[in-house]
Amino acid sequence: MTASKSVRIASVAVVAAGLALSLAGCGQDSGQSAAAGTKKVIGVSVADQKSLFYVAEVAGIKDEAKKQGYDVNITSANNDSSAQVKQVNDLLTKQIGALIFTSQDSTAAAAGVRAANTAKVPVIAVDQRPESGQGTLATYIATDSVKAAHDLCTWMFKQIGGQGELAILHGVLGSTAETQRTQGCQKAIQENPGIKVVAEETANWDETQAFKATQNILTAHPNVKAVFGESDAMSLGASKAAKAAGAQIFSVGIDGFPTMFDGIASGLTQATMAQQPYKMGQMAVDNAITLMSGNGSDIPKEQLQDTVLINKDTVSQHKVEDFYGPDAQSFK
């Protein structure tokens, strides 16, 4: 979901180093340890521990598991889908009670879901939805990205007077978030005939790629009025490119990163839709515990979470910790 120089990855080395101590077989010692046979361990497989979203998700998982007295075994695939499938299979051999699964690749992830189904281990998917592949999820927890993008683009178009040239910076093509955010903004574009899309580039959630893409866009289309970055990193990259070129653009993103809060407060960029990854991690643990107890029939199959619009008028009213957890400021 990110690349090495994006805001979403940048400056989390200290956080990642701390988490690395707990990634493989990292239980929380609760006094009622699964090792003592009283409770089963919750297995967790995430795409990486570089993305700020995933760092916050794991923080929520660890904190909620500790609160409820459960151990967690967390693995990170470092964005290697083949490695992630192997990690999931390894978790299953350790007889985990439930699997919290944030997949790197939705197609490859289907094999992991099927393996968990065979082992009768319930799967709670977070953020990325694995393809069905004849596998079954207990529930899927994610941002309502279609609604977030639609609402954000609708708000942006109103701010620029309902007309003007628009550029779109896409995330990783085909990923759940990219597909849904594109869909949401396209709906808003159809509802605003005065908006003309003059350029679309893929920047893979990355700030540096977005910076370069926006430089090219502004050269080819100097009258671009606004940029929809499908992530905060890309919105920041676009804003910085425009500033370097002496151009004025209206730039928005989706994530709610600490750096984006700062960018909005300083006027560098204009808005973000803040996601709730820490809460999603907590929800996943709560669902896992319910499922391991033999219940869970009332858990919805899909649990889409709303985002919060953060702009110059609201940025002082919200804390990034409310979205990314108590350690959010350390993610910068």
Side-chain angles (χ1 to χ4, degrees), residues 154-175:
T154 298
W155 175 84
M156 175 172 63
F157 299 157
K158 183 178 180 180
Q159 303 308 303
I160 64 174
Q163 58 184 350
E165 294 185 356
L166 173 71
I168 299 174
L169 297 176
H170 292 274
V172 175
L173 296 180
S175 65

Side-chain angles (χ1 to χ4, degrees), residues 175-210:
S175 65
T176 303
E178 185 277 328
T179 300
Q180 293 181 348
R181 292 173 190 182
T182 298
Q183 179 184 343
C185 192
Q186 286 296 336
K187 183 173 183 291
I189 291 167
Q190 292 169 7
E191 296 166 350
N192 289 269
I195 300 298
K196 181 181 179 183
V197 179
V198 296
E200 296 186 61
E201 297 286 346
T202 301
N204 298 308
W205 315 119
D206 183 75
E207 180 178 329
T208 301
Q209 291 185 40

Side-chain angles (χ1 to χ4, degrees), residues 32-35 37-43 69-72 94-98 119-121 289 292:
Q32 286 183 292
S33 171
T38 58
K39 293 181 179 178
K40 283 194 172 183
V41 171
I42 301 170
Y70 278 80
D71 287 354
V72 287
K94 296 176 181 177
Q95 299 184 325
I96 56 174
K120 300 189 183 310
V121 172
I289 293 170
M292 290 192 298

Side-chain angles (χ1 to χ4, degrees), residues 135-159:
T136 302
L137 299 176
T139 188
Y140 171 56
I141 302 169
T143 298
D144 190 342
S145 286
V146 175
K147 182 177 184 298
H150 173 265
D151 291 352
L152 179 63
C153 286
T154 298
W155 175 84
M156 175 172 63
F157 299 157
K158 183 178 180 180
Q159 303 308 303

Side-chain angles (χ1 to χ4, degrees), residues 308-323:
V308 176
L309 176 65
I310 306 296
N311 58 29
K312 65 180 177 63
D313 297 323
T314 63
V315 67
S316 64
Q317 301 169 20
H318 296 278
K319 295 181 179 180
V320 71
E321 290 86 354
D322 294 337
F323 305 97

Side-chain angles (χ1 to χ4, degrees), residues 34-194:
T38 58
K39 293 181 179 178
K40 283 194 172 183
V41 171
I42 301 170
V44 181
S45 175
V46 293
D48 68 53
Q49 274 297 273
K50 296 178 180 177
S51 158
L52 296 188
F53 184 101
Y54 298 151
V55 170
E57 176 197 341
V58 167
I61 288 170
K62 293 174 68 178
D63 288 351
E64 187 65 19
K66 182 177 182 179
K67 176 182 175 182
Q68 298 208 38
Y70 278 80
D71 287 354
V72 287
N73 188 330
I74 303 174
T75 61
S76 171
N78 197 27
N79 290 312
D80 184 330
S81 58
S82 297
Q84 188 167 36
V85 171
K86 292 177 182 177
Q87 288 174 347
V88 168
N89 286 327
D90 183 56
L91 287 170
L92 294 172
T93 66
K94 296 176 181 177
Q95 299 184 325
I96 56 174
L99 174 66
I100 297 173
F101 194 14
T102 296
S103 61
Q104 190 278 330
D105 179 273
S106 60
T107 302
V113 176
R114 289 196 303 271
N117 291 165
T118 299
K120 300 189 183 310
V121 172
V123 181
I124 301 97
V126 179
D127 189 51
Q128 296 290 330
R129 187 198 294 272
E131 289 187 2
S132 61
Q134 300 179 344
T136 302
L137 299 176
T139 188
Y140 171 56
I141 302 169
T143 298
D144 190 342
S145 286
V146 175
K147 182 177 184 298
H150 173 265
D151 291 352
L152 179 63
C153 286
T154 298
W155 175 84
M156 175 172 63
F157 299 157
K158 183 178 180 180
Q159 303 308 303
I160 64 174
Q163 58 184 350
E165 294 185 356
L166 173 71
I168 299 174
L169 297 176
H170 292 274
V172 175
L173 296 180
S175 65
T176 303
E178 185 277 328
T179 300
Q180 293 181 348
R181 292 173 190 182
T182 298
Q183 179 184 343
C185 192
Q186 286 296 336
K187 183 173 183 291
I189 291 167
Q190 292 169 7
E191 296 166 350
N192 289 269

